Amino acid sequence: MEKDSNFILTGKAVERYFDLNDALMEFHNLFTYESKDDRAIAILGGTFLEMILEHILYAFFPEDDKEVGEMMQFNQPLGNFSNKIKMCYCLGLIDKIIKDDLNLIRKIRNEFARDLYASFESDRIKSWCLQLKWHKIIVTPYPPSDATPKDYFQVGVNSLITHLNGCVSIARNDKRIIKDNF
């Protein structure tokens, strides 16, 4: 049986693969349901999702560390969570429901980063948590009646991470190639 070279990781893809897996392990250790620090949970969840989007984009874009790396820098086209979400969506790398949930997570993360009194029980954040949809599709359409907004957030983040981790592999298989035919 002949091996398909499209499924063999080489070069930077190998390094990124292990970096993402190491990060997933660290995230697993920090993003626990036992954590009492709501701010850490909100910021960590959003930040980790942003990092996975970056991995998706690196997997999809051509191997040009200088150009792609510059686009990911602060104050550049892909230097923030919102623009990474938009780019992944516009390139067809994520679906609309994923985009919508990521934007809710982004808002929650930003609210906790800006407001020292932010809480999962505040009306605004609670509303955003209850609007998350992806976990209702892949986990259960009927969350337990005693689920808190923080529970919705954590299950939502974990569901998105699972899905987006698979999107990295899909993006890698559709990787762009630099054209230099002249």
Side-chain angles (χ1 to χ4, degrees), residues 146-163:
D146 62 343
T148 66
K150 183 178 176 183
D151 294 334
Y152 274 78
F153 179 83
Q154 288 190 272
V155 171
V157 166
N158 280 318
S159 300
L160 288 166
I161 287 170
T162 300
H163 178 75

Side-chain angles (χ1 to χ4, degrees), residues 87-162:
M87 181 61 75
C88 285
Y89 176 71
C90 288
L91 291 172
L93 299 170
I94 60 172
D95 296 318
K96 184 179 183 314
I97 192 169
I98 302 299
K99 173 189 71 96
D100 293 344
D101 274 11
L102 287 168
N103 275 314
L104 289 167
I105 300 290
R106 178 185 56 79
K107 288 178 183 180
I108 294 164
R109 179 191 76 172
N110 290 349
E111 193 73 14
F112 271 95
R114 285 193 295 261
D115 181 356
L116 291 176
Y117 303 103
S119 162
F120 282 107
E121 295 302 322
S122 73
D123 290 341
R124 179 185 227 166
I125 294 173
K126 181 178 184 176
S127 169
W128 289 333
C129 290
L130 297 178
Q131 289 176 54
L132 293 169
K133 293 181 183 154
W134 181 244
H135 69 280
K136 292 179 183 177
I137 292 170
I138 67 163
V139 178
T140 179
Y142 306 106
S145 59
D146 62 343
T148 66
K150 183 178 176 183
D151 294 334
Y152 274 78
F153 179 83
Q154 288 190 272
V155 171
V157 166
N158 280 318
S159 300
L160 288 166
I161 287 170
T162 300

Side-chain angles (χ1 to χ4, degrees), residues 11-26:
K12 291 280 187 180
V14 174
E15 188 178 316
R16 285 191 209 103
Y17 174 83
F18 285 109
D19 286 348
L20 179 56
N21 280 304
D22 289 346
L24 279 167
M25 292 304 295
E26 185 63 21

Side-chain angles (χ1 to χ4, degrees), residues 20 48-56 161 164-165 168:
L20 179 56
F48 194 80
L49 286 167
E50 181 178 1
M51 186 200 71
I52 290 184
L53 290 178
E54 193 168 298
H55 275 269
I56 292 169
I161 287 170
L164 293 174
N165 195 35
V168 174

Side-chain angles (χ1 to χ4, degrees), residues 2-109:
E2 190 175 314
K3 289 185 179 181
D4 186 348
S5 63
N6 289 336
F7 297 105
I8 298 172
L9 295 178
T10 60
K12 291 280 187 180
V14 174
E15 188 178 316
R16 285 191 209 103
Y17 174 83
F18 285 109
D19 286 348
L20 179 56
N21 280 304
D22 289 346
L24 279 167
M25 292 304 295
E26 185 63 21
F27 178 80
H28 172 74
N29 292 331
L30 297 171
F31 195 78
T32 66
Y33 289 94
E34 292 78 28
S35 176
K36 303 292 183 220
D37 189 345
D38 288 358
R39 181 173 319 287
I41 291 297
I43 293 173
L44 180 63
T47 300
F48 194 80
L49 286 167
E50 181 178 1
M51 186 200 71
I52 290 184
L53 290 178
E54 193 168 298
H55 275 269
I56 292 169
L57 292 167
Y58 271 108
F60 182 78
F61 287 150
E63 287 299 331
D64 187 331
D65 287 346
K66 182 180 182 301
E67 296 295 330
V68 175
E70 284 179 13
M71 285 196 322
M72 300 287 184
Q73 296 298 314
F74 180 72
N75 282 337
Q76 294 300 314
L78 298 174
N80 64 51
F81 196 5
S82 179
N83 289 350
K84 288 174 184 133
I85 294 168
K86 287 177 191 172
M87 181 61 75
C88 285
Y89 176 71
C90 288
L91 291 172
L93 299 170
I94 60 172
D95 296 318
K96 184 179 183 314
I97 192 169
I98 302 299
K99 173 189 71 96
D100 293 344
D101 274 11
L102 287 168
N103 275 314
L104 289 167
I105 300 290
R106 178 185 56 79
K107 288 178 183 180
I108 294 164
R109 179 191 76 172

